[in-house]
Amino acid sequence: MYSQGLIGADGRTAEDQDFLNRFQARIDDEQKIEPNDPMPEGYRRTLVRQIGQHAHSEIVGMLPEGNWITRAPSLRRKASLLAKVQDEGGHGLYLYSAAETLGVSREQMTEELLTGKAKYSSIFNYPTLSWADIGTIGWLVDGAAIMNQIPLCRCSYGPYARAMIRICKEESFHQRQGYEIVMKLAQGSPEQKAMAQESLDRFWQPVLMMFGPPDSESQNTDQSTRWKIKRFTNDELRQKFVDATVPQAEFLGLTIPDPDLKWNEDKQGFDFGPIDWDEFWRVVKGKGPMNRQRVEARQKAWDDGAWVREAALAHAEKRRAMAAE
Ligand code: BYC
């Protein structure tokens, strides 16, 4: 059963120590775990939680960008945005399939999303107010996603790792199309540059929050890194992202909205200012600017698609009956 209450990287399993040790030895040996392999229940639950939430994020992530397809400023922009949004739908489907290999059904996962039990990335609870936001999402949101997802290509669970390889290739196209939109705006008229800056100002902090709470508050990181589901902690990935992004903003001539941002020679990385974790938890708990609309849109899609599911089932039943004749 896929439920936040039950799922956690708790490692509290009925399996005996010998079984757990043998499993850990396989992980330490970098062997991939496949669907039919024995695995601790905590490992299975952690993956169902993370892959399910990842799939929901891809699907909900189509909404803020889909909002701009009809208003893209040229045919070229419309075509590439359309392709990107379709890619996100595809990512959601690979990931739901990967989660299904762990014994959870698509219906269960959808129900958890619609009842608010399953989370999806906090970033998609912010609105897309201007065309520049489409550029910023590609540049920063997909940029953060790549930073988080490249290590997932080496996740110990085979189906998740393999899905991530293709997803990362597509995400890199998304990041480039976003960067190109922002570059055109940043090099355009003063009004266009101001639009790009305003978008960066709104998205910077929410993007840093995508990596999850600080390590000191991350209940899942320790166990997930031991099981090699996660390869880096939330803070490590956030730092790598900041270090990679600051020079990109400089190249664009945009200012990252953080007065505390400065190069730290000792750590060979950037120091950055505090993140508003109260806002993060408010958004995660359903009180973000767009949470209600996002879940309503998914509910409507599920309801509107009922006839397709019923027709597919009826068709499968008819074929089964014909085969049995
Ligand atoms: N938003 O113990 P922690 C995309 C939750 S899609 C909401 O550190 P964990 C894209 C976390 O679930 C981007 N909730 O957790 C799509 C946990 O609660 P539960 C999605 C968050 O799992 C379309 C609690 O906070 N990417 O890029 O070890 C267009 C404590 O956290 C968030 C993925 O899903 C958040 N930001 O680490 C464009 C990648 N952060 O579940 C782009 C796969 C944390 O215990 N997921 N929480 O109730 C991961 O890598 C990890 O799950 C996380 C969190 C790093 C996100």
Side-chain angles (χ1 to χ4, degrees), residues 4 7-8 49-50 53-55 57-59 61-62 65 84 88 117 119-124 137 141-142 144-145 148-149 152 160 171 174 209-213 217-221 224 230 234 237 280-281 284:
Q4 298 295 317
I7 295 164
R49 177 184 64 79
Q50 179 168 324
Q53 295 185 165
H54 194 165
S57 303
E58 299 282 356
I59 298 294
M62 298 166 80
E65 293 180 287
K84 176 186 192 295
E88 310 297 1
K117 282 187 191 156
K119 297 181 170 77
Y120 56 88
S121 182
S122 49
I123 192 70
F124 302 119
I137 287 179
V141 175
D142 287 270
N148 165 275
Q149 290 173 182
L152 291 175
Y160 192 24
E171 295 291 13
H174 299 168
M209 294 172 191
M210 283 177 72
F211 295 94
E217 289 172 37
S218 164
Q219 69 262 26
N220 299 302
T221 292
S224 288
K230 287 169 86 164
N234 302 352
L237 289 173
F280 170 76
W281 289 115
V284 169

Side-chain angles (χ1 to χ4, degrees), residues 113-321:
L113 172 70
L114 297 179
T115 56
K117 282 187 191 156
K119 297 181 170 77
Y120 56 88
S121 182
S122 49
I123 192 70
F124 302 119
N125 290 308
Y126 293 86
T128 38
L129 303 177
S130 73
W131 170 251
D133 290 354
I134 298 307
T136 306
I137 287 179
W139 171 33
L140 298 180
V141 175
D142 287 270
I146 293 170
M147 197 56 89
N148 165 275
Q149 290 173 182
I150 291 280
L152 291 175
C153 298
R154 292 189 294 121
C155 166
S156 58
Y157 188 57
Y160 192 24
R162 289 189 288 273
M164 291 317 303
I165 291 170
R166 174 153 175 193
I167 290 176
C168 283
K169 286 184 185 160
E170 292 175 350
E171 295 291 13
S172 111
F173 152 67
H174 299 168
Q175 198 269 352
R176 277 155 195 248
Q177 69 88 39
Y179 192 72
E180 201 228 343
I181 291 173
V182 180
M183 189 152 61
K184 277 278 186 285
L185 293 173
Q187 294 171 349
S189 66
E191 290 80 9
Q192 285 172 315
K193 185 167 181 183
M195 196 198 283
Q197 182 64 53
E198 189 273 336
S199 176
L200 172 59
D201 291 347
R202 269 184 294 114
F203 271 94
W204 180 249
Q205 279 255 333
V207 165
L208 296 184
M209 294 172 191
M210 283 177 72
F211 295 94
D215 293 351
S216 54
E217 289 172 37
S218 164
Q219 69 262 26
N220 299 302
T221 292
D222 283 352
Q223 182 62 75
S224 288
T225 40
R226 257 198 305 280
W227 276 328
K228 299 191 180 180
I229 295 170
K230 287 169 86 164
R231 296 274 176 167
F232 295 96
T233 71
N234 302 352
D235 286 335
E236 284 167 349
L237 289 173
R238 193 167 11 248
Q239 181 69 53
K240 279 172 182 280
F241 172 77
V242 171
D243 294 344
T245 308
V246 173
Q248 295 170 359
E250 278 167 6
F251 180 81
L252 293 167
L254 298 178
T255 308
I256 290 189
D258 180 353
D260 298 326
L261 189 72
K262 81 173 185 312
W263 178 253
N264 180 328
E265 193 61 34
D266 292 339
K267 76 173 184 192
Q268 288 290 299
F270 287 91
D271 288 334
F272 49 94
I275 295 171
D276 185 349
W277 292 113
D278 291 341
E279 172 176 320
F280 170 76
W281 289 115
R282 263 197 312 278
V283 174
V284 169
K285 288 179 182 149
K287 297 276 187 302
M290 297 298 284
N291 292 64
R292 191 173 52 82
Q293 288 90 330
R294 298 299 184 232
V295 175
E296 276 173 9
R298 291 313 307 150
Q299 180 72 59
K300 181 172 183 319
W302 184 250
D303 295 343
D304 289 351
W307 71 271
V308 180
R309 294 189 298 279
E310 282 159 20
L313 282 173
H315 181 66
E317 188 50 46
K318 203 162 135 193
R319 284 177 68 111
R320 222 185 345 261

Side-chain angles (χ1 to χ4, degrees), residues 54-118:
H54 194 165
H56 296 324
S57 303
E58 299 282 356
I59 298 294
V60 176
M62 298 166 80
L63 298 170
E65 293 180 287
N67 184 32
W68 277 89
I69 290 172
T70 54
R71 291 176 287 164
S74 69
L75 183 59
R76 176 171 167 263
R77 294 291 183 210
K78 192 196 276 276
S80 59
L81 180 59
L82 202 55
K84 176 186 192 295
V85 173
Q86 284 176 335
D87 283 353
E88 310 297 1
H91 298 174
L93 298 183
Y94 315 148
L95 290 165
Y96 283 130
S97 301
E100 281 173 323
T101 64
L102 291 154
V104 65
S105 72
R106 177 91 176 264
E107 284 72 18
Q108 277 173 282
M109 287 185 275
T110 304
E111 191 196 318
E112 298 271 349
L113 172 70
L114 297 179
T115 56
K117 282 187 191 156

